[in-house]
């Protein structure tokens, strides 16, 4: 520790020592809040005494906020128990929560009081917030959507709970080196999370392997194998300016003391003595472990089943608890009290597990169990990518979950019988429609098919995506169950994604609208259109945007060492690195721009639009081409940013370790955002909504929610390019048949990489993936080459528009004004009414 740090710590403690340390769990006044924080410093100690540096202050502050949340949480739970409403249980393998402190004090409407309290204790709120690590419980849009949904469920006072897994090391922490992306374990739980409460009284057994025992009566029971415990950790989710505080329940896998073999340990057989303990720890070690090996596949499947089994046992327990003292009840009432939403195919095993629990543990017959299950479970599809529509080896499933495979076989058999008897016209389609793929080379269980056959409702997440599901992916099922399929366009919470991450812009919106009701009614933003041409409003808007850009520039300097100019156009693409999301198209465009700048005279360069291109996101550890894209972005940046001829006109920056907290700095500071996936491949996207809400303009294809964003904000405020979804299949065929003629600019950009301009790394495998006629891989399956000229033309339109500052600012305002539809409050209201059939249950 440096002298300065010692001094700050001592000073901090000296100031804190003057404040009485007394418990005030529901404190509202700064003085009482300061006392409550100091109470946690003294009596909930996690560090050495007499330290009150920012880290210690953060944990004490978080625990003081948690006091209030626990009180509201308990009242919410007791109210639900008393009223016994129908409740939604949201099952997701991912939750990207982001930092909890800012969100909690914002939703509780006590941020100013906490800022004052921390000042009294010698600290600044902004400094304390920075001490919190993002919870590493997710990866991309799927997890962030789940977190936005929880925020909206609480804000709308809906009876709902989230279920997930408590990953010890998350996906990974991304580090950028000269070699590109490097992965290391995320250390978010290195100390502890002050937001979670362990529930030692909420523990359920979860079995793996074993065999099915058939009793003389014909009753079947799953026995043997290994049994681990699911222990609940609850994270409070407060609603905005409401008492309702719901729960995100995270499961941790544990073995018991009896499973530790003391005799083997004392005999020196340490690993075998603690084998089940080690096996249990693996289940929640990381998100999406590599599945190239059979052990990897077993572990992934274990994770999914562990989430489903523990969560369903918990729901059944709650259902029974709420029936105590209320007379007789029947299992047929279960769907009128429980709604289960599967967030993608990861929790599909909830279907056979609910059947097993009802039949084997509760004694129901098949028909009754099937009726309960199909009226309880709904399924959200998030992708049309074949590799993301999970298929599990039948051999692996039989090994790990023998009873569930029996149940899945029976569901498949009954589905086929239904087709034979009611829809003989579909018999030729059965091989692709059935749940069990009987391909002798690779027999698999098709999880999406199991969801569609079993769920009462199937929804897509943007209008275009839902249309594709109905017309292509699930078309044959639609002909059987036309009313089963719905659209629920995704949304984002306006609290985290505007009110809290961009307070200056939020305050301007509130000032001009003369109300802050837009925070829970985003449609009110449409009134901003009235002021879009007003000079003084535009000046205030530009001032707020510039403040956010300056904050972003400081962040980029801090984490990358690259100085960027806030007066340049901030052009940002941040999302999971994947070939279909086409970060490669973005960087090829940047390479062509750099080459043209190099060829210009100094005078010509002065007339160009200066631009800072920022790209961020994680490439999955085993996805080689995605990691090559990260490496290419970094190599281009290293050359461009150090080229004195052009670096005042162009910078290229890879933003490392992209997460929610990084997004909260990037998105408010953005001016142009790239949502450039191949049309028909992005289910929705939600980062596009976050950027638009913050007055950022979009360059994008007609894909996912881009279609609806463009409709809402106006075609003239969206930079459109590229093939449409209905054109893509034919374009792929043309490419395969050698009919594609590449644009000279596309060839020029690729050749510039091959020339060694960006170093000696071998980019040929990446470039060959773009060669449609080379026979390599899928031959530019994502149509980068086809869309490149249209993309470059759209970028030229961006450059021209940015030169007219008044026009650009108006477009920015209209982007925010048109974002009302994209609130997760609207999305969740629709789920509640049209899928879950649940109603508001406000805590009095």
């Amino acid at each position: 520790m440096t002298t300065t740090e010692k001094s700050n710590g001592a000073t901090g403690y000296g100031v804190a020592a003057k404040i009485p340390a007394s418990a005030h769990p529901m404190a509202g006044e700064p003085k009482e809040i300061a006392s409550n924080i100091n109470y946690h410093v003294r009596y909930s100690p996690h560090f050495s005494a007499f330290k009150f540096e920012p880290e210690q202050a953060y944990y004490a502050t978080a625990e003081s906020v948690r006091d209030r949340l626990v009180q509201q949480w308990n009242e919410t739970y007791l109210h639900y128990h008393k009223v016994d409403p129908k409740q939604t249980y949201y099952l997701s393998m991912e939750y990207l929560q982001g930092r909890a402190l800012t969100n909690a004090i914002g939703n509780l409407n006590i941020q100013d009081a906490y800022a004052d309290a921390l000042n009294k204790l010698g600290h600044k709120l902004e400094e304390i917030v920075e001490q919190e690590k993002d919870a590493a419980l997710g990866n991309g849009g799927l997890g962030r959507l789940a977190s936005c949904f929880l925020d909206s469920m609480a804000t709308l006072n809906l009876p709902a709970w989230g279920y997930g897994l408590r990953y010890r090391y998350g996906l990974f922490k991304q580090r950028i080196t000269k070699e590109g992306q490097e992965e290391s374990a995320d250390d978010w739980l290195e100390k502890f999370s002050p937001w979670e409460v362990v529930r030692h009284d909420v523990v359920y057994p979860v079995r793996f392997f074993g065999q099915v025992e058939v009793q003389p009566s014909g009753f079947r029971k799953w026995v043997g194998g290994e049994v681990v415990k699911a222990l609940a950790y609850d994270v409070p989710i407060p609603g905005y300016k409401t008492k309702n505080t719901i729960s995100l329940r995270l499961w941790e896998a544990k073995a018991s003391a009896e499973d530790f073999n003391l005799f083997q340990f004392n005999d020196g057989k340490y690993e075998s003595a603690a084998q089940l303990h080690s096996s249990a720890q693996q289940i929640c070690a990381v998100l999406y472990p590599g599945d190239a090996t059979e052990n990897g596949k077993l572990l992934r499947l274990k994770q999914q089943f562990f989430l489903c089994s523990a969560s369903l046992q918990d729901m059944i327990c709650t259902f029974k608890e709420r029936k105590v003292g209320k007379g007789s009840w029947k299992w047929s009432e279960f769907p009128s009290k429980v709604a289960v939403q599967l967030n993608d195919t990861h929790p599909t095993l909830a279907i056979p597990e609910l059947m097993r629990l009802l039949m084997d543990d509760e004694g129901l017959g098949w028909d009754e169990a099937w009726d309960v299950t199909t009226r309880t479970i709904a399924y959200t599809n998030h992708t049309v990518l074949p590799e993301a529509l999970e298929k599990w080896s039948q051999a692996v499933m039989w090994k790990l979950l023998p009873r569930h495979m029996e149940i899945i076989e029976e569901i498949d058999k009954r589905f086929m019988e239904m087709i034979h008897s009611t829809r003989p016209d579909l018999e030729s389609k059965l091989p692709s429609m059935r749940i069990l793929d009987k391909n002798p080379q690779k027999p698999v269980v098709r999880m999406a098919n199991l969801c569609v056959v079993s769920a009462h409702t199937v929804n897509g997440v943007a209008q275009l995506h839902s249309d594709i599901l109905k017309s292509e992916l699930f078309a044959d099922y639609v002909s059987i169950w036309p009313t089963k399929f719905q659209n629920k366009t995704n949304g984002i919470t306006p609290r985290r994604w505007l009110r809290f991450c961009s307070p200056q812009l939020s305050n301007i919106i509130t000032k001009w609208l003369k109300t802050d009701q837009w925070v829970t009614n985003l449609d009110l933003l449409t009134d901003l259109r009235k002021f879009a041409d007003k000079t003084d409003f535009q000046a205030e808007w530009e001032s707020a945007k510039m403040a956010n850009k300056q904050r972003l520039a400081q962040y980029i300097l801090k984490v990358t060492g690259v100085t960027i100019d806030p007066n340049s156009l901030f052009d940002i693409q941040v999302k999971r690195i994947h070939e279909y999301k086409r970060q490669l198209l973005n960087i090829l465009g940047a390479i062509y721009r750099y080459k043209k700048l190099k060829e210009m005279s100094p005078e010509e360069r002065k007339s160009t639009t200066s631009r800072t291109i920022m790209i961020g996101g994680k490439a999955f550890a085993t996805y080689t081409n995605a990691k090559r894209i990260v490496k290419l972005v970094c190599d281009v940046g290293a050359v461009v940013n150090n080229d004195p001829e052009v670096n005042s006109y162009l910078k290229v920056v890879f933003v490392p370790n992209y997460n929610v907290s990084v997004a909260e700095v990037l998105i408010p500071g953005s001016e142009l955002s790239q949502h450039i996936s191949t049309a028909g491949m992005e289910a929705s996207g939600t980062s596009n909504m976050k950027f638009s809400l913050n007055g950022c303009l979009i360059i994008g294809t007609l894909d996912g929610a881009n279609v609806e964003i463009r409709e809402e904000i106006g075609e003239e405020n969206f930079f459109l390019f590229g093939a449409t979804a209905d054109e893509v299949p034919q374009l792929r065929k043309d490419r395969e048949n050698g009919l594609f003629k590449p644009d000279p600019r596309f060839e020029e950009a690729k050749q510039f990489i091959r020339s060694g301009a960006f170093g000696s790394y071998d980019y040929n495998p990446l470039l060959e993936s773009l060669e449609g006629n080379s026979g390599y891989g899928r031959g530019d399956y994502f149509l980068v080459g086809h869309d490149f000229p249209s993309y470059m033309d759209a970028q030229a339109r961006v450059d021209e528009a940015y030169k007219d500052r008044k026009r650009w600012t108006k477009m920015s305002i209209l982007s925010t004004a048109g974002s009302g539809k994209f609130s997760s409050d609207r999305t969740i209201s629709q789920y509640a009414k049209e899928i879950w059939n649940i109603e508001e249950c406000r805590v009095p």
Side-chain angles (χ1 to χ4, degrees):
M1 188 188 289
T2 65
T3 308
T4 309
E5 284 172 325
K6 283 180 182 173
S7 165
N8 287 343
T11 305
Y13 182 76
V15 173
K18 297 172 186 174
I19 304 285
S22 54
H24 292 284
M26 300 300 287
E29 294 301 315
K31 194 173 176 183
E32 290 180 341
I33 290 170
S35 288
N36 199 40
I37 293 171
N38 214 10
Y39 172 84
H40 283 288
V41 173
R42 304 275 181 89
Y43 303 112
S44 304
H46 307 288
F47 302 91
S48 303
F50 310 118
K51 275 189 181 177
F52 195 59
E53 290 158 15
E55 187 180 33
Q56 288 82 38
Y58 159 67
Y59 282 105
T61 301
E63 287 176 319
S64 78
V65 177
R66 195 185 71 183
D67 287 346
R68 187 189 201 91
L69 293 178
V70 167
Q71 175 67 28
Q72 294 190 182
W73 205 2
N74 290 339
E75 289 182 30
T76 303
Y77 187 82
L78 286 169
H79 183 62
Y80 289 175
H81 195 76
K82 179 182 171 186
V83 175
D84 190 20
K86 183 176 185 182
Q87 184 166 329
T88 292
Y89 300 92
Y90 198 80
L91 266 61
S92 180
M93 286 292 284
E94 292 187 44
Y95 291 90
L96 266 180
Q97 288 292 98
R99 290 173 176 157
L101 179 55
T102 311
N103 195 67
I105 61 175
N107 273 2
L108 294 168
N109 201 28
I110 50 175
Q111 58 269 64
D112 291 344
Y114 261 81
D116 288 352
L118 284 165
N119 279 336
K120 293 179 188 301
L121 292 165
H123 286 291
K124 290 184 177 176
L125 176 60
E126 296 78 15
E127 177 189 50
I128 300 308
V129 164
E130 289 296 317
Q131 301 299 311
E132 183 174 357
K133 293 177 179 177
D134 279 35
L137 300 171
N139 173 32
L142 183 84
R144 186 51 235 172
L145 179 77
S147 295
C148 281
F149 278 3
L150 292 182
D151 179 87
S152 286
M153 290 170 191
T155 298
L156 294 170
N157 301 303
L158 293 171
W161 239 234
Y163 284 110
L165 296 184
R166 185 178 182 262
Y167 302 107
R168 180 70 183 80
Y169 300 113
L171 186 72
F172 58 81
K173 184 186 277 188
Q174 182 191 56
R175 215 159 56 90
I176 300 299
T177 69
K178 287 183 179 178
E179 305 307 313
Q181 171 180 295
E182 288 187 2
E183 305 89 22
S184 61
D186 196 298
D187 60 353
W188 79 285
L189 279 176
E190 188 175 45
K191 292 189 174 74
F192 68 101
S193 168
W195 301 104
E196 60 185 21
V197 175
V198 60
R199 304 292 193 189
H200 292 290
D201 57 333
V202 182
V203 183
Y204 300 100
V206 179
R207 188 183 305 275
F208 304 108
F209 307 110
Q211 60 280 335
V212 179
E213 196 177 75
V214 185
Q215 298 175 354
S217 63
F219 186 77
R220 308 179 78 82
K221 192 80 174 174
W222 183 25
V223 297
E226 65 179 41
V227 179
V228 300
K229 292 179 177 178
L231 172 65
Y233 283 76
D234 282 354
V235 179
I237 309 294
Y240 180 72
K241 293 186 180 180
T242 179
K243 213 172 189 180
N244 283 53
T245 300
I246 64 171
S247 186
L248 168 57
R249 179 158 283 179
L250 302 172
W251 299 108
E252 181 174 84
K254 300 182 83 74
S256 62
E258 308 94 78
D259 296 312
F260 183 81
N261 192 318
L262 196 59
F263 297 104
Q264 284 188 348
F265 190 85
N266 287 332
D267 203 25
K269 298 172 183 173
Y270 306 127
E271 289 183 6
S272 59
Q275 191 173 356
L276 191 59
H277 286 261
S278 173
S279 181
Q281 285 179 344
Q282 291 166 13
I283 293 171
C284 296
V286 299
L287 169 65
Y288 303 143
D291 60 353
T293 64
E294 181 172 320
N295 279 343
K297 289 181 175 65
L298 279 168
L299 183 55
R300 276 219 195 181
L301 201 54
K302 267 188 172 184
Q303 285 187 332
Q304 295 186 0
F305 179 67
F306 183 74
L307 167 65
C308 295
S309 181
S311 303
L312 284 165
Q313 289 182 71
D314 197 42
M315 293 175 216
I316 287 171
C317 182
T318 302
F319 172 72
K320 288 179 175 178
E321 278 179 356
R322 292 180 184 173
K323 294 298 176 190
V324 172
K326 294 184 180 177
S328 62
W329 55 270
K330 298 176 183 176
W331 277 106
S332 57
E333 296 171 27
F334 189 76
S336 67
K337 294 297 180 183
V338 176
V340 176
Q341 189 70 37
L342 309 183
N343 192 28
D344 215 359
T345 50
H346 305 130
T348 303
L349 289 167
I351 295 162
E353 174 64 353
L354 183 53
M355 289 291 291
R356 184 192 72 82
L357 290 167
L358 292 172
M359 291 191 297
D360 298 3
D361 290 3
E362 303 297 339
L364 273 64
W366 178 277
D367 290 340
E368 192 180 357
W370 181 246
D371 176 66
V372 170
T373 300
T374 55
R375 289 194 294 125
T376 299
I377 288 177
Y379 160 57
T380 300
N381 174 280
H382 283 278
T383 185
V384 296
L385 287 176
E387 64 266 29
L389 290 167
E390 288 183 290
K391 297 179 178 73
W392 286 103
S393 156
Q394 291 183 29
V396 170
M397 290 271 285
W398 275 112
K399 182 176 182 179
L400 188 73
L401 304 168
R403 179 66 178 123
H404 298 78
M405 273 304 292
E406 288 185 343
I407 291 168
I408 291 167
E409 278 199 329
E410 184 67 18
I411 296 172
D412 186 56
K413 182 182 129 198
R414 290 176 181 237
F415 172 68
M416 288 194 297
E417 287 171 354
M418 185 268 286
I419 295 296
H420 291 316
S421 63
T422 64
R423 290 296 301 272
D425 57 308
L426 288 176
E427 286 194 18
S428 62
K429 304 282 186 70
L430 260 180
S432 62
M433 290 179 73
R434 60 181 300 191
I435 296 157
L436 297 177
D437 181 353
K438 290 296 188 179
N439 180 339
Q441 274 76 44
K442 200 177 178 183
V444 294
V445 181
R446 299 173 175 131
M447 304 308 258
N449 291 20
L450 178 55
C451 286
V452 172
V453 168
S454 310
H456 62 78
T457 306
V458 176
N459 72 281
V461 289
Q463 192 60 59
L464 175 65
H465 171 236
S466 297
D467 290 345
I468 290 170
L469 292 184
K470 289 201 279 188
S471 63
E472 297 175 30
L473 198 64
F474 299 138
D476 295 322
Y477 300 105
V478 173
S479 73
I480 305 169
W481 300 295
T483 60
K484 181 179 280 200
F485 296 84
Q486 297 187 11
N487 174 59
K488 294 288 170 281
T489 297
N490 283 342
I492 56 171
T493 166
R495 274 73 66 183
R496 185 179 289 272
W497 294 115
L498 181 54
R499 181 68 194 91
F500 305 149
C501 73
S502 186
Q504 195 168 336
L505 194 65
S506 295
N507 291 339
I508 291 167
I509 292 169
T510 297
K511 173 188 165 184
W512 283 79
L513 293 180
K514 295 185 170 60
T515 178
D516 65 355
Q517 295 298 309
W518 60 269
V519 181
T520 50
N521 181 5
L522 212 55
D523 287 336
L524 295 176
L525 293 181
T526 55
D527 282 352
L528 292 175
R529 289 174 178 148
K530 296 186 291 193
F531 315 121
D533 286 309
K534 287 188 177 289
T535 305
D536 46 352
F537 181 56
Q538 284 203 359
E540 289 183 33
W541 192 270
E542 280 195 305
S543 172
K545 289 296 289 182
M546 179 52 75
N548 287 332
K549 288 179 74 178
Q550 288 167 341
R551 181 172 67 129
L552 174 52
Q554 289 167 3
Y555 176 80
I556 294 297
L557 179 62
K558 178 177 141 189
V559 298
T560 69
V562 178
T563 302
I564 61 175
D565 179 8
N567 292 304
S568 65
L569 168 60
F570 278 12
D571 169 354
I572 299 176
Q573 185 184 20
V574 279
K575 49 188 74 220
R576 187 163 51 94
I577 308 292
H578 197 292
E579 287 171 282
Y580 92 83
K581 293 180 184 283
R582 298 202 297 191
Q583 287 91 352
L584 185 52
L585 175 60
N586 184 346
I587 196 61
L588 284 168
I591 287 164
Y592 184 79
R593 178 181 289 269
Y594 172 60
K595 190 171 186 293
K596 294 298 115 181
L597 281 167
K598 290 289 285 179
E599 292 166 3
M600 289 179 189
S601 67
E603 281 305 309
E604 287 174 315
R605 286 186 201 119
K606 286 178 185 175
S607 65
T608 63
T609 298
S610 296
R611 192 183 290 228
T612 300
I613 298 170
M614 294 171 244
I615 298 176
K618 293 178 180 179
F620 193 66
T622 57
Y623 188 173
T624 310
N625 253 7
K627 292 180 82 168
R628 287 188 182 115
I629 292 167
V630 174
K631 169 74 172 151
L632 179 58
V633 174
C634 296
D635 285 350
V636 171
V639 171
V640 172
N641 301 342
N642 291 297
D643 187 333
E645 279 190 332
V646 304
N647 63 12
S648 56
Y649 302 99
L650 179 65
K651 290 275 175 74
V652 175
V653 180
F654 189 87
V655 184
N657 205 42
Y658 179 60
N659 60 20
V660 175
S661 294
V662 176
E664 288 171 349
V665 180
L666 284 165
I667 291 171
S670 62
E671 292 174 292
L672 179 76
S673 183
Q674 304 210 26
H675 301 274
I676 57 178
S677 50
T678 314
M681 304 212 73
E682 184 74 84
S684 167
T686 52
S687 64
N688 45 8
M689 301 170 186
K690 292 159 198 158
F691 282 103
S692 290
L693 182 62
N694 279 270
C696 175
L697 303 184
I698 288 179
I699 179 169
T701 50
L702 280 179
D703 196 27
N706 279 0
V707 177
E708 291 159 87
I709 290 173
R710 184 167 171 263
E711 288 170 358
E712 295 294 319
I713 68 171
E715 295 176 12
E716 67 281 7
N717 303 312
F718 189 104
F719 298 98
L720 180 67
F721 76 94
T724 56
D726 59 328
E727 294 170 339
V728 166
Q730 187 59 48
L731 288 168
R732 284 181 178 145
K733 283 181 189 169
D734 291 348
R735 183 111 210 202
E736 285 169 20
N737 295 328
L739 301 176
F740 171 68
K741 291 182 181 174
D743 186 270
R745 293 173 287 181
F746 181 57
E747 294 301 295
E748 205 175 329
K750 289 190 295 176
Q751 189 50 44
F752 199 35
I753 298 171
R754 288 197 177 101
S755 72
F758 304 107
S760 58
Y761 182 84
D762 181 13
Y763 282 110
N764 280 318
L766 184 61
L767 295 172
E768 284 167 6
S769 74
L770 300 174
E771 305 299 333
N773 312 324
S774 69
Y776 177 90
R778 291 183 285 189
D780 198 14
Y781 183 78
F782 301 106
L783 301 181
V784 175
H786 176 274
D787 281 357
F788 188 81
S790 173
Y791 173 73
M792 294 309 297
D793 294 346
Q795 289 287 19
R797 296 199 302 275
V798 170
D799 288 336
E800 281 309 302
Y802 196 70
K803 289 173 184 174
D804 183 345
R805 301 303 303 149
K806 188 171 176 61
R807 177 192 166 200
W808 186 276
T809 302
K810 180 179 179 179
M811 291 168 77
S812 171
I813 293 164
L814 293 174
S815 178
T816 300
S819 293
K821 176 180 180 177
F822 305 105
S823 168
S824 51
D825 296 349
R826 185 267 314 153
T827 313
I828 286 299
S829 290
Q830 291 180 336
Y831 271 101
K833 289 173 191 155
E834 298 163 22
I835 296 180
W836 303 332
N837 191 28
I838 63 170
E839 296 178 347
E840 181 184 271
C841 187
R842 187 187 291 267
V843 178

